[in-house]
PDB file of all heavy atoms in Angstrom:
ATOM      1  N   ALA C1181     172.185 -79.156 271.629  1.00 92.00           N
ATOM      2  CA  ALA C1181     171.278 -79.237 272.778  1.00 92.00           C
ATOM      3  C   ALA C1181     171.028 -77.828 273.302  1.00 92.00           C
ATOM      4  O   ALA C1181     171.942 -77.010 273.376  1.00 92.00           O
ATOM      5  CB  ALA C1181     171.876 -80.099 273.881  1.00 92.00           C
ATOM      6  N   ALA C1209     170.256 -82.816 281.999  1.00 84.00           N
ATOM      7  CA  ALA C1209     168.947 -83.239 282.497  1.00 84.00           C
ATOM      8  C   ALA C1209     169.087 -84.133 283.722  1.00 84.00           C
ATOM      9  O   ALA C1209     168.339 -83.992 284.705  1.00 84.00           O
ATOM     10  CB  ALA C1209     168.181 -83.963 281.396  1.00 84.00           C
ATOM     11  N   ARG C1215     170.089 -82.562 291.451  1.00 81.00           N
ATOM     12  CA  ARG C1215     170.474 -81.422 292.284  1.00 81.00           C
ATOM     13  C   ARG C1215     169.605 -80.192 292.134  1.00 81.00           C
ATOM     14  O   ARG C1215     169.817 -79.202 292.821  1.00 81.00           O
ATOM     15  CB  ARG C1215     171.916 -81.029 291.986  1.00 81.00           C
ATOM     16  CG  ARG C1215     172.893 -82.132 292.283  1.00 81.00           C
ATOM     17  CD  ARG C1215     174.303 -81.699 292.122  1.00 81.00           C
ATOM     18  NE  ARG C1215     174.507 -80.855 290.947  1.00 81.00           N
ATOM     19  CZ  ARG C1215     175.688 -80.552 290.452  1.00 81.00           C
ATOM     20  NH1 ARG C1215     176.763 -80.998 291.022  1.00 81.00           N
ATOM     21  NH2 ARG C1215     175.788 -79.799 289.376  1.00 81.00           N
ATOM     22  N   SER C1222     176.884 -74.855 287.339  1.00 65.00           N
ATOM     23  CA  SER C1222     178.168 -75.410 286.953  1.00 65.00           C
ATOM     24  C   SER C1222     178.372 -75.366 285.444  1.00 65.00           C
ATOM     25  O   SER C1222     179.508 -75.430 284.970  1.00 65.00           O
ATOM     26  CB  SER C1222     178.302 -76.856 287.440  1.00 65.00           C
ATOM     27  OG  SER C1222     177.327 -77.665 286.827  1.00 65.00           O
TER      28      SER C1222
END
Side-chain angles (χ1 to χ4, degrees):
R1215 299 186 319 193
S1222 63

